[in-house]
């Protein structure tokens, strides 16, 4: 019996996975992740639908994605799920201009996606490596790609355009935006809560090791802080965020950095880690009294507060503010400070609700609803796969 879909969500140092039933509301059958691949990798499996909870070390040494995937395959076998999977959904970070909805990953599509690797150097290659691993493990399953950039394709052209020569814009040097699967999930949750208005003029703060904000109007992307690449916008765990292009010219011309050194600097050595000199982990920084750690947290909050103002201006106001992802869901202090930075927009956060991590943390005087909604990119992929399957069935076989 084949009645389940596997979702794979690979990052630079982790591999998240989930299995959903294909019927009805897509019931969750299994969820877990392999984390810290480059340090001391760990396998965690949630206790869902009869599966046993797992939390164990995989190795005392770093492992590659092949070994992480092998651990996931073992979990699927142990839970008697591998034989039930006939579709595999993949979070693909970059879809460029051509891929704005779920797409079957055949050789032609994969070739086009490989051409986008320079635009997402720490994600795209890993995403496509996982597709190859899944194809080898499940050769009869349909492989489907869902794209982080797709959600932002609804933005006005002005929100996508840089002040570059038109030929470069037409060649694809535009703002794409990322974290779209996370924002898609939040938009669905807002639709459940508010109906078609989906929270009205909303800013969603996806705050994790990668971080961005998205302005949505009635659940559709209007503006976002990431642009051509995942480097843009907010200060992140190890990524620099928005940077004067003149800095890049200086590093190339005066410091004589190579392209490879620039990639390592901007993606891996900057952000919270670079500013603090201690860690890119917000938990570590909040617990530290070191002045550099304090400054890193201050900078993180300052940049978010400033960008909230920019996105509110793009929508002409703010009705709802949503926190999601690791920091957004689990750092009450960060939520409190961002709320204070956005108080001029009518944001007010209830100290006790916020500390308890309730789903609504705004206070009674707040003109803006402030919510905490857990991220679930895996379910967003499963939903897109369901829509893809329904569309394919409606179209029927080719004549």
């Amino acid at each position: 019996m084949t009645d389940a879909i596997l979702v794979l969500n690979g990052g630079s140092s982790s591999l998240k996975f989930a299995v959903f039933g294909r019927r009805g509301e897509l019931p969750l059958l299994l969820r877990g992740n392999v984390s810290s691949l480059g340090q001391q990798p760990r396998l965690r499996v949630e206790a869902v639908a009869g599966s046993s909870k797992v939390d164990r070390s995989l190795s005392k040494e770093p492992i590659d994605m092949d070994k992480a995937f092998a651990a996931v395959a073992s979990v699927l076998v142990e839970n008697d799920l591998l034989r039930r999977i006939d579709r595999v959904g993949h979070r693909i970070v970059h879809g460029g201009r051509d891929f704005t909805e779920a797409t079957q990953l055949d050789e032609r599509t994969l070739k086009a996606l490989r051409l986008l690797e320079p635009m997402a150097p720490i994600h795209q290659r890993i995403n496509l490596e996982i597709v190859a691993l899944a194809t080898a493990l499940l050769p009869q399953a349909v492989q489907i790609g869902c794209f982080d950039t797709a959600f932002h394709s609804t933005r006005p052209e002005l929100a996508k355009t840089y002040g570059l020569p038109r030929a470069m814009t037409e060649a694809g040097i535009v703002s794409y935006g990322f974290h779209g699967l996370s924002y898609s999930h939040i938009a669905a949750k807002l639709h459940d809560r508010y109906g078609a208005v989906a929270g009205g003029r909303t800013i969603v703060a996806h705050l994790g090791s990668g971080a961005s904000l998205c302005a949505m109007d009635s659940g559709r992307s209007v503006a976002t802080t990431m642009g051509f690449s995942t480097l843009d916008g907010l200060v992140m765990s190890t990524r620099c965020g928005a940077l004067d292009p003149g800095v890049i010219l200086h590093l190339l011309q005066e410091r004589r950095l190579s392209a490879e050194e620039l990639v390592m600097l901007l993606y891996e050595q900057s952000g919270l880690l670079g500013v603090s000199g201690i860690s890119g982990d917000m938990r570590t920084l909040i617990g530290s009294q070191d002045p550099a750690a304090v400054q890193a947290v201050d900078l993180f909050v300052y940049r978010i507060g400033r960008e909230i103002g920019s996105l509110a201006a793009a929508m002409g106001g703010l009705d709802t503010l949503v926190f999601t992802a690791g920091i957004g869901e689990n750092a009450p202090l960060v939520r409190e400070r961002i709320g204070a930075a956005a108080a001029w927009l009518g944001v007010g956060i209830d100290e006790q609700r916020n500390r308890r991590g309730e789903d609504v943390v705004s206070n009674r005087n707040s003109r803006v609803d402030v919510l905490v909604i857990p991220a679930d990119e895996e379910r967003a992929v499963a939903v897109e796969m369901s829509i893809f399957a329904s569309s394919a069935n409606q179209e029927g076989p080719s004549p």
Side-chain angles (χ1 to χ4, degrees), residues 157-188:
E157 284 303 311
L158 287 179
K160 304 175 188 177
T161 303
Y162 294 119
L164 292 171
R166 183 169 296 276
M168 291 184 176
T169 301
E170 292 172 351
I173 302 179
V174 296
S175 168
Y176 290 97
F178 298 89
H179 291 138
L181 289 165
S182 177
Y183 293 131
S184 175
H185 173 70
I186 298 301

Side-chain angles (χ1 to χ4, degrees), residues 151-152 154-155 177-180 182-184 186-187 190 201-206 211-217 219-226 234 307-308 311-312 315 318 320-322:
F151 184 76
H152 302 294
T154 62
R155 290 175 299 155
F178 298 89
H179 291 138
S182 177
Y183 293 131
S184 175
I186 298 301
L190 292 173
R201 298 167 299 182
T202 300
I203 293 175
V204 182
H206 176 106
S212 68
L213 305 178
C214 179
M216 301 180 192
D217 194 347
R220 292 168 63 86
S221 179
V222 173
T224 188
T225 56
M226 281 183 174
L234 309 178
E307 290 296 335
I308 284 174
L311 295 184
M315 295 186 292
L318 182 63
T320 307
L321 175 63
V322 180

Side-chain angles (χ1 to χ4, degrees), residues 81-310:
L81 287 171
L82 190 63
R83 63 183 179 84
R84 295 173 57 182
I85 295 166
D86 64 352
R87 298 174 190 170
V88 184
H90 299 268
R91 175 196 173 215
I92 308 291
V93 165
H94 215 307
R97 283 180 158 178
D98 295 330
F99 300 104
T100 58
E101 58 187 13
T103 304
Q104 185 168 340
L105 297 172
D106 55 23
E107 191 50 46
R108 180 189 63 81
T109 301
L110 290 170
K111 182 178 180 180
L113 293 173
R114 290 186 194 106
L115 296 176
L116 298 174
E117 286 186 22
M119 298 163 74
I122 68 171
H123 294 101
Q124 195 84 347
R125 178 187 56 79
I126 292 170
N127 296 160
L128 299 181
E129 178 185 350
I130 294 168
V131 174
L133 292 168
T135 301
L137 178 68
L138 292 159
Q140 304 306 316
V142 178
Q143 309 288 328
I144 299 171
C146 300
F147 305 97
D148 253 348
T149 48
F151 184 76
H152 302 294
S153 63
T154 62
R155 290 175 299 155
E157 284 303 311
L158 287 179
K160 304 175 188 177
T161 303
Y162 294 119
L164 292 171
R166 183 169 296 276
M168 291 184 176
T169 301
E170 292 172 351
I173 302 179
V174 296
S175 168
Y176 290 97
F178 298 89
H179 291 138
L181 289 165
S182 177
Y183 293 131
S184 175
H185 173 70
I186 298 301
K189 289 295 185 181
L190 292 173
H191 188 276
D192 291 344
R193 176 182 285 269
Y194 295 103
V197 298
R201 298 167 299 182
T202 300
I203 293 175
V204 182
H206 176 106
L207 307 179
S209 57
S212 68
L213 305 178
C214 179
M216 301 180 192
D217 194 347
S218 300
R220 292 168 63 86
S221 179
V222 173
T224 188
T225 56
M226 281 183 174
F228 179 75
S229 76
T230 58
L231 281 175
D232 200 9
L234 309 178
V235 172
M236 295 168 247
S237 177
T238 62
R239 285 175 252 168
C240 59
L243 195 66
D244 180 346
V247 174
I248 306 297
L249 295 176
H250 171 79
L251 294 173
L252 287 170
Q253 296 171 346
E254 302 300 325
R255 297 291 186 94
R256 304 293 182 184
L257 266 63
S258 67
E260 292 77 13
E261 289 170 327
L262 265 179
V263 169
M264 180 61 66
L265 171 68
L266 302 180
Y267 279 99
E268 303 290 348
Q269 299 172 343
S270 298
L272 297 174
L273 172 62
V275 174
S276 70
I278 297 170
S279 175
D281 190 310
M282 181 60 73
R283 292 166 298 187
T284 299
L285 298 177
I286 288 175
S288 174
Q289 298 301 312
D290 188 293
V294 173
Q295 185 184 41
V297 177
D298 288 346
L299 180 61
F300 185 76
V301 171
Y302 166 74
R303 292 283 285 272
I304 292 170
R306 200 172 75 175
E307 290 296 335
I308 284 174
S310 172

Side-chain angles (χ1 to χ4, degrees), residues 334-355:
V334 173
R335 292 195 299 263
E336 177 187 339
R337 293 187 58 187
I338 292 171
W344 64 279
L345 284 165
V347 173
I349 290 184
D350 183 280
E351 182 179 346
Q352 298 303 318
R353 287 178 176 178
N354 183 50
R355 188 173 298 168

